[in-house]
Amino acid sequence: MPSEFDLIARHFVRPTPRTVLGPGDDAALLAPSPGAEIAVTTDALVSGIHFLPETDPERLGWKTLAVNLSDLAAMGATPRWALLACVLPDPDEDWLAAFSSGVFACARRYGVDVSGGDTTRGPLSLCVTALGEVPAATALRRDAARAGDELWVSGFLGRAALGLAHRRGEIRLPAEILDACLDRLEKPYPRVELGVALRENALAHAAIDVSDGLLADAGHLAEASRLDVEIDLTRLPEGFPQGFAAAPSLTERFQRGRLSGGDDYELLFSAAPERRDDIDALGARIKLPLSRIGRFVAGAGGVSLRDARGEALPVFYKGFDHFAENIQ
Ligand code: ADP
Ligand code: MG
């Protein structure tokens, strides 16, 4: 059986050009850029809770890092470094090789060094700590939305929830939408370019990534900013390809997923109405649809849904919370 050190050297040590001292010592050494604040975030993925045990290991590796980069994107930070703590059952080298190639594919794509980590034996779980940089006092915080701001969302919502239902065998997705849904679930692209551009061009006030579901995460923005947020149901981005006619049961599930499904890793952000054109231009430049879906008004953390006539609809679905009785 390979030693812990063989496993680390074979699978987890790659060049770290952005790190003063990478894997191999007791701690890594990082040199922040002058004037930068460090944004740091950590997320654990536990087998059976955050991913199905049979998940493709390469996609799992990608996602393990990607979900952390999504948090950095939501702060407007540029990702730089990551630490990877792996708790592994008896080492399966093929699994590890595939897993680490997914991790490093994501690291390369977003310019991140894996600067260190930890490897121990136990029930499969994976934890990344990611660090990014943001010029002092410019990060996109949850508490910075202003009354009168509009609420925007990137990409499409609800696809990951459909992908998960398919993987669990609850539904069978038609071929036209299968890959898009599974990709969003298993290989999400964190919206780093968007988060950085929103911050660099001072386009957004507050931001959050959608990991718990639209209603829950819009609620987090509203609560932190001490405002209410109104979401126009009719303005949510269409998720199905043009001309695709979904069965009613699928449409119902999809509507629910768009409002409360987690795991889409899109960005939700608030911006002044005067910035509409600039935000549209940014979406066109980075080829990412950006939809204006609501507004912030005076209040105390409430979320409401509006129909086509602006009438308030009851809010049925909540987001995901590991400790609450949830997901109605
Ligand atoms: P220590 O016992 O001092 O905590 P370890 O034996 O856990 O050190 O790790 C040895 C070196 O290998 C450290 O520099 C650590 O950062 C690195 N390392 C361990 N596991 C990983 C991993 N999964 N990915 C990247 N680097 C790792
Ligand atoms: Mg250690």
Side-chain angles (χ1 to χ4, degrees):
M1 181 159 309
S3 77
E4 175 191 331
F5 301 101
D6 294 338
L7 287 179
I8 295 169
R10 258 207 295 284
H11 300 296
F12 294 115
V13 178
R14 303 279 167 93
T16 52
R18 301 165 196 83
T19 306
V20 178
L21 184 63
D25 213 312
D26 294 309
L29 296 174
L30 314 175
S33 309
E37 287 172 351
I38 301 291
V40 57
T41 180
T42 192
D43 252 318
L45 273 68
V46 178
S47 179
I49 309 279
H50 301 94
F51 61 91
L52 304 170
E54 62 275 15
T55 302
D56 173 73
E58 189 166 351
R59 282 157 82 89
L60 180 62
W62 175 286
K63 181 168 176 173
T64 302
L65 181 56
V67 298
N68 282 276
L69 302 188
S70 177
D71 283 323
L72 296 182
M75 301 300 290
T78 304
R80 292 265 190 258
W81 307 283
L83 304 174
L84 171 63
C86 302
V87 183
L88 305 167
D90 288 341
D92 167 345
E93 294 249 11
D94 290 341
W95 190 94
L96 272 178
F99 173 76
S100 72
S101 81
V103 170
F104 285 103
C106 186
R108 258 194 319 278
R109 163 71 176 77
Y110 293 97
V112 171
D113 278 1
V114 176
S115 307
D118 194 27
T119 306
T120 53
R121 185 176 299 200
L124 180 60
S125 82
L126 307 157
C127 182
V128 165
T129 301
L131 300 101
E133 293 187 308
V134 55
T138 64
L140 304 174
R141 299 164 46 136
R142 293 183 183 187
D143 62 6
R146 302 178 194 169
D149 274 1
E150 293 172 322
L151 178 70
W152 293 74
V153 69
S154 64
F156 303 102
L157 297 173
R159 293 182 174 186
L162 288 187
L164 180 61
H166 179 90
R167 281 288 189 230
R168 283 179 170 156
E170 296 163 7
I171 55 172
R172 284 219 60 76
L173 284 177
E176 297 98 305
I177 59 170
L178 180 62
D179 284 348
C181 294
L182 292 181
D183 284 352
R184 205 60 210 160
L185 176 71
E186 295 170 351
K187 197 180 178 190
Y189 282 82
R191 302 309 188 187
V192 169
E193 227 182 335
L194 173 63
V196 168
L198 290 172
R199 187 257 302 156
E200 274 178 353
N201 300 295
L203 292 177
H205 292 143
I208 189 171
D209 66 326
V210 185
S211 57
D212 295 335
L214 172 64
L215 293 177
D217 289 316
H220 294 146
L221 284 180
E223 265 169 44
S225 300
R226 297 165 192 272
L227 297 169
D228 282 356
V229 63
E230 300 173 353
I231 297 174
D232 295 331
L233 205 47
T234 54
R235 299 194 64 96
L236 295 192
E238 266 311 320
F240 289 143
Q242 288 250 312
F244 171 71
S249 61
L250 187 60
T251 302
E252 147 69 20
R253 209 179 244 280
F254 179 60
Q255 295 300 0
R256 201 174 149 130
R258 289 204 301 175
L259 295 175
S260 63
D263 264 2
D264 281 305
Y265 299 102
E266 295 295 347
L267 291 191
L268 259 185
F269 57 94
S270 91
E274 300 75 49
R275 309 314 298 269
R276 273 186 197 175
D277 291 349
D278 297 326
I279 293 170
D280 285 335
L282 171 63
R285 179 164 70 75
I286 65 174
K287 299 190 176 60
L288 180 63
L290 300 177
S291 307
R292 188 162 43 78
I293 62 169
R295 73 201 64 77
F296 288 88
V297 297
V303 182
S304 62
L305 280 174
R306 309 270 150 166
D307 66 11
R309 288 171 310 166
E311 307 272 346
L313 298 170
V315 174
F316 287 117
Y317 313 129
K318 294 272 161 51
F320 187 77
D321 176 331
H322 282 281
F323 295 102
E325 299 243 353
N326 59 31
I327 330 188
Q328 328 178 30

